[in-house]
Amino acid sequence: MNIQFNANEDFNKLKVSQLKSELLKIYKGGGAKRIENEHSKGKLTARERLEYLFDSGYPNIEIGAFAGYEMYGKHGGCPAGGVIVKMGYISGKQCIAVANDATVKAGAWFPITGKKNLRAQEIAIENRLPIIYLVDSAGVYLPMQDEIFPDKEHFGRIFRNNAVMSSMGITQIAAVMGSCVAGGAYLPVMSDEVIMVDQTSSIFLAGSYLVKAAIGEEIDNETLGGATTHNSISGVADYKAKNDHDALDKIKQLVGKIGDYDKAGFNRIKSVEPTLIPEEIFGILPQNRNEQYDMKDIIKRIVDQSDFDEYKADFGKTLLCGYARIDGWAVGIVANQRLVLKNAKKEMQFGGVIYSDSADKATRFIANCNQKKIPLVFLQDVTGFMVGSKSEHGGIIKDGAKMVNAVANSVVPKFTIIIGNSYGAGNYAMCGKAYDPRLIVAWPSAELAVMSGASAAKVLLQIEKATLEKKGEKITPENEKELFENIKSRYDHQISPYYAASHLWTDAIINPLDTRKWISMGIEAANHAPISKAFNMGVLQV
């Protein structure tokens, strides 16, 4: 191992250490005092509930742990968006579970909470996965009601999705384990089966104080909408549990009796670990996002037996395409090559840039994977498409559009790993969030933006200088340098993987060593949903 490898390794392992540190803070939710308050009521926290619910000894993944990260500061923050979403196994069946975190503003819904819940439902719908709701929420966070109430992707969309999933035959089970008020009361009642915990759960459109104010009736919350009321009188609930553990045990029993599912039929054989050492990824991946490395070295430390069967190896070399297996699943990989290369005409091609020949190759490969029903994995480290007169005259826009078309119309499940750069139209062509990957995650080394921080800062600096000069201000070299650094610092903050994850542009920031687990669980989930339409790219400018 050389000095550069060791330096890269130290740098990237520190990034992973920082990731783990930030996650530990998020896992504390609203803090120790509020956790103790939940315990004093005889309740488990959201994370404790999920830990008990999912089968031990089996893998699970958390969606959107960084949702709301560094957002809502003036409102006291919203760790994990106030709701925990995990995919795992309950009684041996793969499910997705959504648990309100009552330690964060009593489980109130911030705008990002609604977005995260919709993402969980989207995953359930796409993959026909059973979805479990562990409800414990005070309802909409009123100071921000205008940002969560009326729009298509706001709070009300959740109940629309309840109805859609019901019509699709997707199992929905709700356990009300605390408060469930106002419009939120529709979520459990629109589920297939409802469990309520005696003495600690309640469901009502309006609580006792509001009832008294509205109609003058005096009644306590337990009588108004507690577990006994809804099991014995209204019939809203189906089961009454003694405590949290009893409610979770009931969910396990119900899920354990769900019948088998129709399968998409993706190819899987026995899993084999990579022959090359996965931990070496940390030394291969450079510290600087502009430095070169061979993406094949990364791929061979992710795939089974380090075996990558490359497609059109000598053509369109800035995109790698090929077949492999991940945890036994057959996959088609499309990856940006970061080496500076020469093509057959001895012309230089820059790493991370998509050229016309690369786009053409990827389009054909994506079509092949759709033809053969092979899931697609995109490994992003892309700076965009090639620019300049030669590329424009050669039809780069046309070839790029064909690739984007193929990605958009692909009917096999897609999974996206953002390893490094994810800039501009390159993000789109490599299956960014807008192109419906079943799961999209970033490594700590990722950067997402229209362009790099340095490039954007140069453009923005020229605009800022022109504005100041119009006002008659003189710009010295020192002023210019300070302006540039301020602009770049602000932009660099926005391109970090944490900023993207906080807005749910990605599902998670992960340790690179967990990449195989995420892809494997994602394909297993996708295997629940048979492909119902043929691949068709529509009209193309050939």
Side-chain angles (χ1 to χ4, degrees):
M1 300 298 175
N2 59 33
I3 294 173
Q4 188 60 56
F5 183 98
N6 292 334
N8 289 343
E9 184 177 46
D10 291 344
F11 179 83
N12 288 308
K13 284 186 174 180
L14 179 60
K15 288 263 189 184
V16 171
S17 178
Q18 291 168 341
L19 169 64
K20 291 177 180 177
S21 177
E22 292 302 315
L23 282 171
L24 286 174
K25 294 176 189 175
I26 289 169
Y27 294 161
K28 293 176 182 177
K33 191 171 182 179
R34 288 175 182 168
I35 290 172
E36 181 55 39
N37 185 50
E38 292 300 297
H39 290 165
S40 70
K41 298 175 186 176
K43 296 166 64 178
L44 301 173
T45 66
R47 290 191 179 277
E48 290 167 342
R49 288 167 178 166
L50 291 175
E51 183 179 1
Y52 184 82
L53 180 63
F54 283 118
D55 297 345
S56 61
Y58 287 80
N60 62 67
I61 55 178
E62 181 169 353
I63 309 294
F66 281 97
Y69 180 76
E70 295 186 342
M71 295 167 66
Y72 313 121
K74 68 178 182 179
H75 297 278
C78 187
V83 63
I84 318 303
V85 175
K86 284 193 174 185
M87 182 193 294
Y89 302 86
I90 301 171
S91 299
K93 294 192 181 298
Q94 195 175 28
C95 301
I96 189 162
V98 181
N100 298 115
D101 188 350
T103 71
V104 179
K105 291 287 191 296
W109 289 60
F110 283 71
I112 199 67
T113 317
K115 187 174 182 179
K116 186 170 175 179
N117 273 265
L118 290 172
R119 176 60 179 143
Q121 290 183 321
E122 180 182 41
I123 291 170
I125 291 169
E126 285 181 327
N127 300 292
R128 307 295 195 273
L129 283 182
I131 184 166
I132 314 300
Y133 306 103
L134 306 183
V135 184
D136 193 349
S137 172
V140 167
Y141 183 61
L142 290 178
M144 303 186 76
Q145 64 85 27
D146 62 317
E147 297 182 45
I148 190 172
F149 166 64
D151 212 340
K152 182 178 178 180
E153 294 185 346
H154 285 172
F155 190 64
R157 187 76 171 181
I158 291 164
F159 315 129
R160 175 264 184 194
N161 287 350
N162 287 141
V164 168
M165 283 190 280
S166 182
S167 72
M168 295 172 67
I170 297 171
T171 299
Q172 301 176 81
I173 300 171
V176 181
M177 311 181 82
S179 182
C180 182
V181 302
Y186 287 103
L187 186 145
V189 180
M190 294 186 75
S191 298
D192 301 336
E193 295 180 277
V194 182
I195 303 159
M196 292 186 71
V197 179
D198 194 24
Q199 299 299 314
T200 59
S201 69
S202 57
I203 301 175
F204 35 63
L205 293 179
S208 56
Y209 291 119
L210 186 54
V211 166
K212 183 176 181 180
I215 64 173
E217 180 184 3
E218 292 200 23
I219 189 169
D220 63 89
N221 282 339
E222 180 64 25
T223 306
L224 179 66
T228 298
T229 295
H230 284 311
N231 275 274
S232 302
I233 301 173
S234 72
V236 164
D238 303 301
Y239 308 95
K240 183 166 74 171
K242 294 177 290 186
N243 51 42
D244 279 10
H245 288 103
D246 190 31
L248 297 169
D249 285 337
K250 176 57 69 175
I251 293 172
K252 293 179 184 183
Q253 292 164 12
L254 293 172
V255 171
K257 294 178 177 65
I258 297 173
D260 203 0
Y261 56 90
D262 295 333
K263 295 177 178 64
F266 302 124
N267 185 288
R268 191 182 198 185
I269 61 174
K270 184 178 179 181
S271 174
V272 181
E273 290 295 313
T275 304
L276 299 177
I277 301 170
E279 287 81 0
E280 291 176 349
I281 287 172
F282 296 120
I284 294 165
L285 196 64
Q287 301 175 46
N288 190 311
R289 292 274 32 89
N290 294 321
E291 291 179 20
Q292 297 183 60
Y293 65 96
D294 192 342
M295 182 63 84
K296 291 179 190 176
D297 292 336
I298 300 290
I299 292 171
K300 290 179 179 181
R301 286 161 176 82
I302 293 174
V303 302
D304 291 14
Q305 288 189 311
S306 301
D307 185 15
F308 179 58
D309 186 10
E310 192 171 356
Y311 171 81
K312 287 185 175 289
D314 297 322
F315 181 77
K317 291 187 176 184
T318 65
L319 274 179
L320 299 173
C321 298
Y323 303 103
R325 290 189 181 273
I326 293 177
D327 196 26
W329 294 104
V331 296
I333 295 175
V334 181
N336 302 110
Q337 176 59 287
R338 289 293 307 184
L339 294 175
V340 174
L341 304 158
K342 287 186 177 180
N343 63 18
K345 299 177 182 177
K346 307 301 182 185
E347 295 169 337
M348 195 71 73
Q349 291 194 334
F350 298 97
V353 179
I354 301 174
Y355 289 77
S356 286
D357 54 356
S358 302
D360 180 71
K361 176 171 81 171
T363 300
R364 295 178 65 179
F365 180 72
I366 290 167
N368 284 343
C369 287
N370 276 271
Q371 181 87 348
K372 294 188 266 189
K373 206 158 70 172
I374 299 174
L376 285 159
V377 174
F378 293 83
L379 303 179
Q380 284 196 15
D381 194 346
V382 59
T383 53
F385 285 89
M386 190 59 190
V387 297
S389 60
K390 185 172 182 180
S391 292
E392 297 293 359
H393 297 169
I396 184 66
I397 297 175
K398 178 181 65 177
D399 292 321
K402 285 192 290 187
M403 181 177 173
V404 169
N405 192 309
V407 172
N409 285 302
S410 181
V411 296
V412 295
K414 299 165 291 192
F415 302 90
T416 301
I417 316 296
I418 305 174
I419 290 175
N421 303 327
S422 181
Y423 297 154
N427 169 280
Y428 304 154
M430 291 295 293
C431 198
K433 182 66 182 290
Y435 289 79
D436 297 324
R438 296 293 176 96
L439 293 171
I440 176 170
V441 298
W443 288 3
S445 47
E447 293 184 356
L448 290 82
V450 173
M451 60 181 74
S452 70
S455 298
K458 289 174 185 176
V459 174
L460 294 169
L461 176 63
Q462 296 308 312
I463 297 171
E464 185 73 13
K465 279 176 62 180
T467 302
L468 293 173
E469 285 168 356
K470 281 183 182 178
K471 294 178 180 178
E473 296 184 31
K474 186 176 179 181
I475 308 299
T476 65
E478 291 78 15
N479 295 146
E480 185 172 331
K481 183 179 179 183
E482 184 179 356
L483 272 172
F484 176 82
E485 292 301 330
N486 288 339
I487 294 169
K488 186 176 182 299
S489 175
R490 185 171 67 248
Y491 198 89
D492 283 344
H493 171 71
Q494 293 176 352
I495 69 176
S496 84
Y498 293 94
Y499 190 87
S502 73
H503 291 78
L504 287 175
W505 300 338
T506 61
D507 291 317
I509 307 170
I510 67 168
N511 184 330
L513 302 182
D514 289 333
T515 302
R516 282 170 59 85
K517 177 176 75 172
W518 275 79
I519 294 171
S520 177
M521 287 192 69
I523 298 175
E524 183 178 351
N527 205 35
H528 286 75
I531 296 170
S532 58
K533 63 178 183 178
F535 176 64
N536 184 346
M537 288 180 59
V539 177
L540 291 174
Q541 297 289 335
V542 179

